[in-house]
Amino acid sequence: MARQLEEQIVGRFPVGRRLRVLDVGMGRGAQALRLARAGHQVTGVEHDAAMIATARESLAGEPEGIRERMRIIEGQAGDTGVHFLPGSFDVVLCHGVLMQVEEPDALLAGVARMLAPGGLVSLLVRNGDAAAMRAGVAGDWAGALAGFCTATYGLKRLTSTLAGIGAPLHAWYGVRVFTDTVVDDGVPSSDLDALLTVEDRAGRTDPYRGVASLLHLCGVRG
């Protein structure tokens, strides 16, 4: 996913431009820290104290210049309108958050308001179009049947939602096409490069990306 995000940023903004980035629900701060290392000014918002502690610990080990470029705010994903003015950011990340809030459409509208004209929003969501896949591959037939009836975000609905909030879909990818059932430490380091290459290829190729566990969607503010 980091490769996909970098591809969109490099293709969207002039080389060398330092971007204002907001990471809504930053978790442990992996993407936020990666962007701060790349020279961008990053603000992360997170409500989970344990994840904030992990992010701060990771940040503390970085050089001073990187520490100065990253700010961490404790708060809910829906509180962005309280902390920031509309149009305050060039890039807004919202990864793994929509499935955890009661009103995802309202959150997305708030996220779009934070974007400056021409800004990029990056969403990572469970793929509602393939909700039965993981359970089916694992032989959980009851779970697979339930997945067919799950009312979650899919590509069509998200495309419509992004258009409705003024940040139409610009590009989309699949994430975890082949590896959704693989535990995080289940891949030998010698195979990791090959795995990432295959996943990267599948995540941008039909029909594979359509059955990925996660969807990575990028919209652009009009």
Coordinates of all heavy atoms in Angstrom, one line a residue, residues 110-182:
G110 N -16.5 15.0 6.1 CA -15.6 15.8 6.9 C -14.2 15.8 6.5 O -13.5 16.8 6.4
V111 N -13.8 14.6 6.1 CA -12.4 14.4 5.5 C -12.2 15.2 4.3 O -11.2 15.9 4.1 CB -12.2 12.9 5.2 CG1 -11.0 12.7 4.3 CG2 -12.0 12.1 6.5
A112 N -13.3 15.2 3.4 CA -13.2 15.9 2.1 C -13.0 17.4 2.4 O -12.3 18.1 1.7 CB -14.4 15.6 1.3
R113 N -13.7 17.9 3.4 CA -13.6 19.4 3.7 C -12.2 19.8 4.1 O -11.8 20.9 4.0 CB -14.6 19.7 4.8 CG -16.1 19.8 4.4 CD -16.9 20.5 5.4 NE -17.1 19.7 6.6 CZ -18.0 18.8 6.8 NH1 -18.9 18.6 5.9 NH2 -18.1 18.2 8.0
M114 N -11.4 18.8 4.7 CA -10.1 19.1 5.1 C -9.1 19.3 3.9 O -8.0 19.9 4.1 CB -9.5 18.0 6.0 CG -10.3 17.9 7.3 SD -10.3 19.4 8.4 CE -12.0 20.0 8.1
L115 N -9.5 18.9 2.7 CA -8.7 18.9 1.6 C -8.7 20.2 0.9 O -9.7 20.8 0.6 CB -9.1 17.8 0.5 CG -8.7 16.4 0.8 CD1 -9.4 15.5 -0.3 CD2 -7.2 16.2 0.7
A116 N -7.5 20.7 0.5 CA -7.3 21.9 -0.4 C -7.7 21.5 -1.8 O -7.7 20.3 -2.1 CB -5.9 22.4 -0.3
P117 N -8.1 22.5 -2.6 CA -8.4 22.1 -4.0 C -7.3 21.4 -4.7 O -6.1 21.8 -4.5 CB -8.6 23.5 -4.6 CG -9.1 24.4 -3.5 CD -8.3 23.9 -2.3
G118 N -7.6 20.3 -5.3 CA -6.6 19.5 -6.0 C -6.0 18.5 -5.0 O -5.1 17.7 -5.4
G119 N -6.4 18.5 -3.8 CA -5.9 17.6 -2.8 C -6.3 16.1 -3.0 O -7.3 15.8 -3.6
L120 N -5.5 15.2 -2.4 CA -5.7 13.8 -2.5 C -6.2 13.2 -1.2 O -5.6 13.4 -0.2 CB -4.4 13.1 -2.9 CG -4.3 11.6 -3.1 CD1 -5.0 11.2 -4.3 CD2 -2.9 11.1 -3.1
V121 N -7.3 12.4 -1.3 CA -7.7 11.6 -0.2 C -7.5 10.1 -0.5 O -7.7 9.6 -1.6 CB -9.2 11.8 0.1 CG1 -10.1 11.5 -1.1 CG2 -9.7 11.0 1.3
S122 N -6.9 9.4 0.5 CA -6.6 8.0 0.4 C -7.4 7.2 1.4 O -7.2 7.4 2.6 CB -5.0 7.8 0.6 OG -4.7 6.5 0.8
L123 N -8.2 6.3 0.9 CA -9.0 5.5 1.8 C -8.6 4.0 1.7 O -8.3 3.5 0.7 CB -10.5 5.6 1.4 CG -11.1 6.9 1.2 CD1 -12.6 6.8 0.7 CD2 -11.1 7.7 2.5
L124 N -8.6 3.4 2.9 CA -8.4 1.9 2.9 C -9.6 1.3 3.7 O -9.9 1.7 4.8 CB -7.1 1.5 3.7 CG -6.8 0.0 3.7 CD1 -6.4 -0.4 2.3 CD2 -5.7 -0.3 4.7
V125 N -10.4 0.5 3.0 CA -11.6 -0.1 3.5 C -11.7 -1.6 3.3 O -11.1 -2.1 2.3 CB -12.8 0.6 2.9 CG1 -12.8 2.1 3.2 CG2 -13.0 0.3 1.5
R126 N -12.5 -2.3 4.1 CA -12.8 -3.7 3.8 C -13.5 -3.7 2.5 O -14.4 -2.9 2.3 CB -13.7 -4.2 4.9 CG -13.1 -5.2 5.9 CD -12.4 -6.4 5.5 NE -11.5 -6.8 6.5 CZ -10.6 -7.7 6.3 NH1 -10.4 -8.3 5.2 NH2 -9.7 -8.0 7.3
N127 N -13.2 -4.7 1.7 CA -13.9 -4.8 0.4 C -15.2 -5.5 0.5 O -15.3 -6.7 0.6 CB -13.0 -5.6 -0.6 CG -13.6 -5.7 -2.0 OD1 -14.6 -5.1 -2.3 ND2 -12.9 -6.4 -2.8
G128 N -16.3 -4.7 0.6 CA -17.6 -5.3 0.7 C -18.0 -6.2 -0.4 O -18.9 -7.0 -0.3
D129 N -17.4 -6.0 -1.6 CA -17.7 -6.8 -2.8 C -17.2 -8.2 -2.7 O -17.5 -9.1 -3.5 CB -17.2 -6.2 -4.0 CG -17.8 -4.8 -4.3 OD1 -19.0 -4.6 -3.9 OD2 -17.2 -4.0 -4.9
A130 N -16.3 -8.5 -1.7 CA -15.6 -9.8 -1.6 C -15.7 -10.2 -0.1 O -14.8 -10.9 0.4 CB -14.2 -9.7 -2.0
A131 N -16.8 -9.9 0.6 CA -16.9 -10.2 2.0 C -16.9 -11.7 2.3 O -16.5 -12.1 3.4 CB -18.2 -9.5 2.6
A132 N -17.4 -12.5 1.3 CA -17.5 -13.9 1.5 C -16.2 -14.6 1.3 O -16.0 -15.8 1.6 CB -18.6 -14.5 0.7
M133 N -15.2 -13.9 0.6 CA -14.0 -14.6 0.1 C -13.2 -15.3 1.2 O -12.8 -16.4 1.1 CB -13.2 -13.6 -0.7 CG -11.9 -14.2 -1.3 SD -12.3 -15.5 -2.5 CE -12.9 -14.4 -3.8
R134 N -12.8 -14.5 2.3 CA -11.9 -15.0 3.3 C -12.5 -16.3 4.0 O -11.8 -17.3 4.1 CB -11.6 -14.0 4.3 CG -10.6 -14.4 5.4 CD -10.2 -13.3 6.3 NE -9.1 -13.7 7.1 CZ -8.4 -12.8 7.9 NH1 -8.8 -11.6 7.9 NH2 -7.5 -13.2 8.7
A135 N -13.8 -16.2 4.4 CA -14.4 -17.3 5.0 C -14.5 -18.5 4.1 O -14.3 -19.6 4.5 CB -15.8 -16.9 5.5
G136 N -14.8 -18.2 2.8 CA -14.9 -19.3 1.9 C -13.6 -20.0 1.6 O -13.6 -21.3 1.6
V137 N -12.5 -19.3 1.5 CA -11.2 -19.9 1.3 C -10.8 -20.7 2.5 O -10.1 -21.8 2.4 CB -10.2 -18.8 1.1 CG1 -8.7 -19.3 1.1 CG2 -10.4 -18.1 -0.3
A138 N -11.3 -20.3 3.7 CA -10.9 -21.0 4.9 C -11.9 -22.2 5.2 O -11.7 -22.9 6.2 CB -11.0 -20.1 6.1
G139 N -12.9 -22.4 4.3 CA -13.8 -23.5 4.5 C -14.9 -23.2 5.5 O -15.6 -24.1 5.9
D140 N -15.1 -22.0 5.8 CA -16.2 -21.6 6.7 C -17.4 -21.2 5.9 O -17.6 -20.1 5.5 CB -15.7 -20.3 7.6 CG -16.8 -19.8 8.5 OD1 -17.9 -20.4 8.6 OD2 -16.6 -18.7 9.1
W141 N -18.2 -22.2 5.6 CA -19.3 -22.0 4.7 C -20.4 -21.1 5.2 O -21.0 -20.3 4.5 CB -19.8 -23.3 4.2 CG -18.7 -24.3 3.8 CD1 -18.5 -25.5 4.2 CD2 -17.8 -24.0 2.7 NE1 -17.4 -26.0 3.6 CE2 -16.9 -25.1 2.7 CE3 -17.5 -22.9 1.9 CZ2 -15.8 -25.2 1.8 CZ3 -16.4 -23.0 1.0 CH2 -15.6 -24.1 1.0
A142 N -20.7 -21.3 6.5 CA -21.7 -20.4 7.1 C -21.2 -18.9 7.1 O -22.0 -18.0 6.8 CB -21.9 -20.8 8.6
G143 N -19.9 -18.7 7.4 CA -19.4 -17.4 7.3 C -19.4 -16.8 5.9 O -19.7 -15.6 5.7
A144 N -19.2 -17.7 4.9 CA -19.2 -17.2 3.5 C -20.6 -16.8 3.1 O -20.8 -15.8 2.5 CB -18.7 -18.3 2.6
L145 N -21.6 -17.6 3.5 CA -23.0 -17.3 3.2 C -23.4 -16.0 3.8 O -24.1 -15.1 3.2 CB -23.9 -18.4 3.7 CG -23.9 -19.7 2.8 CD1 -24.7 -20.8 3.5 CD2 -24.5 -19.4 1.4
A146 N -22.9 -15.7 5.1 CA -23.2 -14.5 5.8 C -22.6 -13.3 5.0 O -23.1 -12.2 5.0 CB -22.8 -14.5 7.2
G147 N -21.4 -13.6 4.5 CA -20.7 -12.5 3.8 C -21.4 -12.0 2.6 O -21.3 -10.8 2.2
F148 N -22.2 -12.8 1.9 CA -22.9 -12.4 0.7 C -24.0 -11.4 1.1 O -24.4 -10.6 0.3 CB -23.6 -13.6 0.1 CG -22.7 -14.5 -0.7 CD1 -22.5 -15.8 -0.3 CD2 -21.9 -14.0 -1.7 CE1 -21.6 -16.7 -0.9 CE2 -21.1 -14.9 -2.4 CZ -20.9 -16.2 -2.0
C149 N -24.4 -11.4 2.4 CA -25.5 -10.5 2.8 C -24.9 -9.3 3.6 O -25.7 -8.5 4.1 CB -26.4 -11.3 3.7 SG -27.2 -12.7 2.9
T150 N -23.6 -9.2 3.7 CA -23.0 -8.1 4.5 C -23.2 -6.8 3.8 O -22.7 -6.6 2.6 CB -21.5 -8.4 4.8 OG1 -21.4 -9.6 5.5 CG2 -20.9 -7.3 5.6
A151 N -23.8 -5.8 4.4 CA -24.0 -4.5 3.8 C -22.8 -3.6 4.2 O -22.8 -2.9 5.2 CB -25.3 -3.9 4.3
T152 N -21.7 -3.7 3.5 CA -20.5 -2.8 3.7 C -20.1 -2.1 2.4 O -20.7 -2.3 1.4 CB -19.4 -3.7 4.2 OG1 -19.1 -4.7 3.2 CG2 -19.7 -4.3 5.5
Y153 N -19.1 -1.3 2.6 CA -18.7 -0.5 1.4 C -18.1 -1.4 0.4 O -17.2 -2.3 0.6 CB -17.6 0.5 1.9 CG -18.2 1.8 2.4 CD1 -18.2 2.1 3.7 CD2 -18.7 2.7 1.5 CE1 -18.7 3.3 4.2 CE2 -19.3 3.9 2.0 CZ -19.2 4.2 3.3 OH -19.7 5.4 3.8
G154 N -18.5 -1.2 -0.9 CA -17.9 -1.8 -2.0 C -17.4 -0.7 -3.0 O -17.7 0.5 -2.7
L155 N -16.8 -1.1 -4.1 CA -16.3 -0.1 -5.0 C -17.4 0.8 -5.6 O -17.2 2.1 -5.7 CB -15.6 -0.8 -6.2 CG -15.0 0.1 -7.3 CD1 -13.9 0.9 -6.7 CD2 -14.4 -0.8 -8.4
K156 N -18.5 0.3 -6.0 CA -19.6 1.1 -6.6 C -20.1 2.2 -5.6 O -20.2 3.3 -5.9 CB -20.7 0.2 -7.0 CG -21.8 1.0 -7.8 CD -22.9 0.0 -8.3 CE -24.0 0.8 -9.1 NZ -25.0 -0.2 -9.6
R157 N -20.3 1.7 -4.4 CA -20.9 2.7 -3.4 C -19.8 3.7 -3.0 O -20.2 4.9 -2.9 CB -21.3 1.9 -2.1 CG -21.9 2.9 -1.0 CD -22.3 2.1 0.2 NE -22.6 3.0 1.3 CZ -22.9 2.7 2.5 NH1 -22.8 1.4 2.9 NH2 -23.2 3.6 3.4
L158 N -18.6 3.3 -2.9 CA -17.6 4.3 -2.5 C -17.3 5.3 -3.7 O -17.1 6.5 -3.4 CB -16.3 3.6 -2.2 CG -16.2 3.1 -0.7 CD1 -15.1 2.1 -0.6 CD2 -16.0 4.2 0.2
T159 N -17.4 4.8 -4.9 CA -17.2 5.7 -6.1 C -18.3 6.8 -6.0 O -18.1 8.0 -6.3 CB -17.3 4.9 -7.4 OG1 -16.2 4.0 -7.4 CG2 -17.2 5.8 -8.6
S160 N -19.5 6.4 -5.7 CA -20.7 7.3 -5.7 C -20.5 8.3 -4.5 O -20.7 9.5 -4.7 CB -22.0 6.5 -5.5 OG -23.1 7.4 -5.3
T161 N -20.0 7.8 -3.4 CA -19.8 8.6 -2.2 C -18.8 9.7 -2.4 O -18.9 10.8 -2.1 CB -19.5 7.8 -1.0 OG1 -20.5 6.8 -0.7 CG2 -19.3 8.6 0.3
L162 N -17.6 9.2 -3.0 CA -16.6 10.2 -3.3 C -17.0 11.3 -4.2 O -16.7 12.5 -4.1 CB -15.4 9.4 -3.8 CG -14.6 8.6 -2.8 CD1 -13.5 7.7 -3.5 CD2 -13.9 9.5 -1.8
A163 N -17.8 10.9 -5.3 CA -18.3 11.9 -6.2 C -19.2 12.9 -5.5 O -19.2 14.1 -5.7 CB -19.0 11.2 -7.3
G164 N -20.0 12.4 -4.6 CA -21.0 13.2 -3.8 C -20.3 14.2 -2.9 O -20.9 15.2 -2.6
I165 N -19.1 13.9 -2.4 CA -18.5 14.8 -1.5 C -17.4 15.7 -2.2 O -16.6 16.4 -1.5 CB -17.8 14.1 -0.3 CG1 -16.8 13.1 -0.8 CG2 -18.9 13.3 0.5 CD1 -16.0 12.4 0.3
G166 N -17.4 15.7 -3.5 CA -16.5 16.5 -4.2 C -15.1 16.1 -4.4 O -14.2 16.9 -4.7
A167 N -14.9 14.8 -4.2 CA -13.5 14.2 -4.4 C -13.6 13.0 -5.2 O -13.4 11.8 -4.7 CB -12.9 14.0 -3.0
P168 N -13.9 13.1 -6.5 CA -14.2 11.9 -7.3 C -13.0 10.9 -7.3 O -11.9 11.3 -7.2 CB -14.4 12.5 -8.7 CG -14.8 13.9 -8.4 CD -14.1 14.3 -7.2
L169 N -13.4 9.6 -7.5 CA -12.4 8.6 -7.6 C -11.4 8.8 -8.7 O -11.8 9.1 -9.8 CB -13.1 7.2 -7.8 CG -12.2 6.0 -7.8 CD1 -11.5 5.8 -6.4 CD2 -12.9 4.8 -8.2
H170 N -10.1 8.8 -8.4 CA -9.1 9.0 -9.4 C -8.3 7.7 -9.7 O -8.0 7.4 -10.8 CB -8.0 10.0 -8.8 CG -6.9 10.2 -9.7 ND1 -6.9 10.9 -10.9 CD2 -5.6 9.9 -9.5 CE1 -5.7 10.9 -11.4 NE2 -4.9 10.3 -10.7
A171 N -8.2 6.8 -8.7 CA -7.5 5.5 -8.9 C -7.9 4.6 -7.8 O -8.2 5.0 -6.7 CB -6.0 5.7 -8.9
W172 N -7.8 3.3 -8.0 CA -8.1 2.3 -6.9 C -7.3 1.1 -7.1 O -6.9 0.7 -8.2 CB -9.6 2.0 -6.9 CG -10.2 1.1 -8.0 CD1 -10.6 1.6 -9.2 CD2 -10.4 -0.3 -7.9 NE1 -11.0 0.5 -9.9 CE2 -10.9 -0.6 -9.2 CE3 -10.2 -1.3 -7.0 CZ2 -11.3 -1.9 -9.5 CZ3 -10.5 -2.6 -7.3 CH2 -11.1 -2.9 -8.5
Y173 N -7.0 0.4 -6.0 CA -6.2 -0.8 -5.9 C -6.8 -1.8 -5.0 O -7.6 -1.5 -4.1 CB -4.8 -0.4 -5.4 CG -4.1 0.7 -6.0 CD1 -4.3 2.0 -5.6 CD2 -3.1 0.5 -7.1 CE1 -3.6 3.1 -6.2 CE2 -2.4 1.5 -7.6 CZ -2.7 2.8 -7.2 OH -2.0 3.9 -7.8
G174 N -6.4 -3.0 -5.2 CA -6.7 -4.1 -4.2 C -5.5 -4.2 -3.3 O -4.4 -4.1 -3.7
V175 N -5.8 -4.6 -2.0 CA -4.7 -4.8 -1.0 C -5.0 -6.2 -0.4 O -6.1 -6.4 0.1 CB -4.6 -3.7 0.0 CG1 -3.6 -4.0 1.1 CG2 -4.4 -2.4 -0.6
R176 N -4.0 -7.0 -0.2 CA -4.1 -8.4 0.3 C -5.0 -9.2 -0.6 O -6.1 -9.7 -0.2 CB -4.7 -8.3 1.8 CG -3.6 -7.9 2.8 CD -4.2 -8.1 4.2 NE -3.1 -7.9 5.2 CZ -2.4 -8.8 5.8 NH1 -2.5 -10.0 5.4 NH2 -1.5 -8.4 6.7
V177 N -4.5 -9.4 -1.8 CA -5.3 -10.3 -2.7 C -5.0 -11.7 -2.4 O -6.0 -12.5 -2.3 CB -4.8 -10.0 -4.2 CG1 -5.5 -10.9 -5.2 CG2 -5.0 -8.5 -4.6
F178 N -3.8 -12.1 -2.2 CA -3.4 -13.5 -1.9 C -3.1 -13.8 -0.4 O -2.9 -14.9 -0.1 CB -2.2 -13.9 -2.8 CG -2.5 -13.8 -4.2 CD1 -1.7 -12.9 -5.0 CD2 -3.4 -14.5 -4.9 CE1 -1.9 -12.8 -6.4 CE2 -3.7 -14.4 -6.2 CZ -2.9 -13.6 -7.0
T179 N -2.9 -12.7 0.4 CA -2.3 -12.9 1.7 C -3.2 -12.6 2.8 O -2.7 -12.4 4.0 CB -1.0 -12.1 1.8 OG1 -1.4 -10.7 1.5 CG2 0.0 -12.5 0.8
D180 N -4.5 -12.5 2.6 CA -5.4 -12.1 3.7 C -5.4 -13.1 4.9 O -5.6 -12.7 6.0 CB -6.8 -11.9 3.2 CG -7.7 -11.2 4.2 OD1 -7.2 -10.3 4.9 OD2 -8.8 -11.6 4.4
T181 N -5.1 -14.4 4.6 CA -5.1 -15.4 5.6 C -3.7 -15.7 6.2 O -3.6 -16.5 7.0 CB -5.7 -16.7 5.1 OG1 -5.0 -17.1 3.9 CG2 -7.2 -16.5 4.6
V182 N -2.7 -15.0 5.7 CA -1.4 -15.2 6.2 C -1.1 -14.3 7.4 O -1.4 -13.1 7.4 CB -0.3 -14.8 5.1 CG1 1.1 -15.0 5.6 CG2 -0.5 -15.7 3.9

